[in-house]
Amino acid sequence: MADVCSRAPDFLSPPGDQTLAPALGSVVTLNCTAWVVSSPHCPLPSVQWLKDGLPLGNGSRHGLHEDSWVKANSSEVLVSSVLGVNLTGAEDYGAFTCSVWNVSSSSFTLWRAGPAGHLAAVLASLLVLLALLLAALLYVKCRLNVQLWYQDNYGEVEMNDGKLYDAYVSYSDSPEDRKFVNFILKPQLERHRGYKLFLDDRDLLPRAEPSADLLVNLSRCRRLIVVLSDAFLGRAWCSHSFREGLCRLLELTRRPIFITFEGQRRDPEHPALLLLRQHRHLVTLLRWRPGSVTPSSDFWKELRLALPRKVQYRTREGDPQTRLQDDKDPMLIVRGHVSEGRTLDPELDLDPEGDLGVRGPVFGEPPAPPHASGVSPGEARGSEVDVSDLGSRNYNARTDFYCLVSEEDM
């Protein structure tokens, strides 16, 4: 029987050691409930509470309530003890242990959440703030580069729209403006970026009404660039009827580009400049600064974003006009086809030297076939010039055109 009585109770609450962090001034209820073996030979079960290893006396300031229930077959007794802890000071915190018969125990640990409890939240807030600042800094530094990369790879391609030029550049005929356009703006955009510009130093909108030449020229260009220098702002329509002129430009072109200069001698509160700042959502307003001459400056990046996407064709791809024909040069094929090795069949090509040889008259008596003189086809002149690579050449710069006539067309 002694072995039965010494069997450890089965704790229902708490199922294991618990650690709690109640706030100061609150009341915590600790519930200790367990099944204890019951037998006539076993002593009555008792529950004892300890704080920091020392038993709580009867005069303790903690509230205690105990109950017990006997099982139907009297083999076990359910013992429950509820301890109420009023946390009025730091001395009320500690380790509370519930012990049954001094055989088995289960503990509650109460600790006060001091300043260290808020340290994690403060550190997390600082990390989030630092991440936001870093993201903002990266956005400011890399925003234009990311936008340029996206435009170069996924931007809208404005082709086959009947336009001959990428931009119409309007500027005054002053020496400073001519130098800026011809020695800075044009070389950077045309030579280094491949754009095609139409330059015009005449008055853009005399009497705020577009001329016939302006209507024609703007219809041939995809964008409009206006160099708003001191000389340009000195024109009459910029001071008196710029609002009407701007409305006309917005009707004629897509989001015009205006270039202003830092440190202009004119009043920065010029009516034209104030109106452009108010309508930034309709126009692109750029500012030229002393450091903008560098090709990697933000000025050129913002200008490229405002201009249409420029598609660069690689030379090894050949002429885009013949790329869909498997790069078969139509100027070298009279009838028939070119084999995979890109060699011309002398039976099908009456002139195996192509446009490298000296052509005779197109009209008149056709030349004698090569085999009539006893020479095998392709041996008379074909060995002097290698024509095997003519089909893969790039004819972007070709300005001459030929009319090929075969024997059937004579």
Side-chain angles (χ1 to χ4, degrees):
M1 290 296 177
D3 296 337
V4 174
C5 296
S6 61
R7 193 175 66 179
D10 182 13
F11 282 91
L12 301 181
S13 175
D17 295 342
Q18 292 186 356
T19 301
L20 306 177
L24 184 65
S26 61
V27 178
V28 181
T29 301
L30 307 180
N31 183 9
C32 179
T33 304
W35 284 106
V36 183
V37 175
S38 176
S39 173
H41 305 283
C42 298
L44 294 177
S46 62
V47 178
Q48 186 180 16
W49 286 93
L50 298 90
K51 180 178 182 295
D52 299 328
L54 301 176
L56 294 176
N58 295 332
S60 174
R61 294 181 290 108
H62 305 93
L64 183 63
H65 178 73
E66 294 184 352
D67 283 316
S68 63
W69 296 268
V70 182
K71 212 171 187 181
N73 55 6
S74 302
S75 60
E76 289 181 323
V77 177
L78 182 63
V79 179
S80 175
S81 179
V82 177
L83 179 67
V85 181
N86 188 11
L87 302 175
T88 57
E91 65 277 2
D92 295 326
Y93 291 88
F96 292 81
T97 305
C98 171
S99 177
V100 179
W101 279 359
N102 295 327
V103 175
S104 181
S105 63
S106 183
S107 65
F108 299 86
T109 302
L110 305 181
W111 60 277
R112 182 179 178 183
H118 301 283
L119 182 61
V122 173
L123 291 178
S125 301
L126 291 177
L127 289 177
V128 172
L129 181 60
L130 182 61
L132 292 177
L133 292 177
L134 182 60
L137 181 63
L138 290 177
Y139 175 78
V140 172
K141 293 294 184 181
C142 306
R143 172 181 57 90
L144 295 177
N145 293 330
V146 174
Q147 291 178 350
L148 278 176
W149 173 84
Y150 182 84
Q151 175 176 287
D152 294 339
N153 291 275
Y154 306 102
E156 177 186 0
V157 180
E158 301 179 31
M159 298 180 62
N160 302 325
D161 53 1
K163 307 290 186 180
L164 301 180
Y165 301 93
D166 292 304
Y168 179 100
V169 181
S170 177
Y171 60 101
S172 69
D173 56 353
S174 65
E176 293 80 5
D177 286 10
R178 287 200 300 267
K179 291 179 182 178
F180 174 76
V181 172
N182 291 282
F183 294 99
I184 296 179
L185 190 65
K186 181 180 179 181
Q188 178 66 23
L189 294 181
E190 286 194 342
R191 297 180 185 177
H192 298 284
R193 299 301 175 185
Y195 291 101
K196 192 174 182 181
L197 306 180
F198 182 88
L199 307 182
D200 189 2
D201 60 354
R202 295 173 295 178
D203 197 351
L204 183 61
L205 289 174
R207 298 178 302 278
E209 291 294 333
S211 62
D213 291 341
L214 178 64
L215 295 176
V216 173
N217 293 331
L218 283 180
S219 65
R220 301 161 64 190
C221 303
R222 298 185 177 93
R223 296 291 188 276
L224 169 64
I225 300 177
V226 181
V227 181
L228 284 180
S229 62
D230 289 330
F232 196 99
L233 291 174
R235 293 174 174 175
W237 71 275
C238 288
S239 301
H240 305 293
S241 55
F242 187 82
R243 180 181 297 273
E244 292 77 7
L246 180 61
C247 294
R248 299 292 187 274
L249 294 179
L250 293 175
E251 295 173 357
L252 297 175
T253 184
R254 172 182 176 181
R255 197 176 180 88
I257 305 168
F258 293 90
I259 300 177
T260 61
F261 295 86
E262 190 177 69
Q264 286 180 319
R265 293 186 298 274
R266 288 189 175 271
D267 185 9
E269 303 300 323
H270 192 279
L273 299 178
L274 292 177
L275 187 63
L276 290 176
R277 295 191 188 101
Q278 294 174 3
H279 295 80
R280 281 181 176 272
H281 60 287
L282 298 176
V283 301
T284 300
L285 189 59
L286 304 180
R287 179 176 291 272
W288 176 268
R289 296 178 173 85
S292 300
V293 69
T294 307
S296 60
S297 64
D298 291 346
F299 173 84
W300 298 110
K301 296 177 182 178
E302 293 177 352
L303 183 57
R304 287 175 56 194
L305 287 173
L307 291 173
R309 173 188 174 187
K310 200 62 183 175
V311 179
Q312 301 291 342
Y313 292 101
R314 292 174 293 181
T315 306
R316 64 181 183 86
E317 293 181 353
D319 190 351
Q321 297 182 4
T322 61
R323 188 168 49 185
L324 298 179
Q325 307 173 13
D326 195 18
D327 209 12
K328 302 181 181 70
D329 191 352
M331 305 182 68
L332 301 178
I333 301 174
V334 180
R335 51 189 173 88
H337 62 279
V338 179
S339 61
E340 289 296 325
R342 298 186 183 274
T343 58
L344 300 176
D345 189 350
E347 291 291 342
L348 302 177
D349 188 12
L350 299 181
D351 189 3
E353 293 184 3
D355 57 351
L356 297 179
V358 180
R359 292 183 178 273
V362 175
F363 302 99
E365 290 295 329
H371 57 274
S373 59
V375 183
S376 60
E379 292 182 358
R381 294 175 296 175
S383 60
E384 298 179 3
V385 181
D386 183 11
V387 298
S388 60
D389 63 337
L390 290 180
S392 60
R393 292 184 179 179
N394 189 346
Y395 294 93
N396 288 328
R398 175 175 291 173
T399 58
D400 52 341
F401 299 89
Y402 298 92
C403 177
L404 303 181
V405 182
S406 61
E407 292 185 3
E408 290 84 354
D409 300 327
M410 296 297 293

